[in-house]
Amino acid sequence: MTVFYWFMALVMVATLVPSALYMGIYVFTGADEALVRARKLWTFLRVLTLMGFNVMLWGHVVVAAWQLVH
């Protein structure tokens, strides 16, 4: 699971950084396209975060069940 944690952290940072940059572009320039792109990336980041949390949680449940059986 450690590889999964690092992979999810990398993916989340790789989504968060561009979202923050586009939000900064929107704040300083007022370009509506930057706001739309920042919102899409932020939404994608939330989906990835929830997916990572669910996989982590259910992964621990499966491992615990496996250890109880064996």
Side-chain angles (χ1 to χ4, degrees):
M1 290 293 287
T2 304
V3 174
F4 174 74
Y5 297 148
W6 282 104
F7 176 72
M8 286 307 296
L10 178 68
V11 168
M12 285 188 248
V13 168
T15 309
L16 176 65
V17 171
S19 176
L21 289 175
Y22 280 115
M23 184 55 77
I25 291 170
Y26 171 71
V27 167
F28 289 115
T29 65
D32 290 332
E33 298 84 14
L35 178 62
V36 170
R37 192 168 290 175
R39 284 183 178 168
K40 287 181 182 179
L41 285 168
W42 182 252
T43 302
F44 190 59
L45 174 64
R46 289 187 299 184
V47 169
L48 287 175
T49 303
L50 290 172
M51 182 198 72
F53 178 75
N54 281 330
V55 169
M56 177 198 65
L57 181 70
W58 287 107
H60 284 277
V61 169
V62 168
V63 167
W66 181 262
Q67 289 177 351
L68 282 174
V69 172
H70 286 92

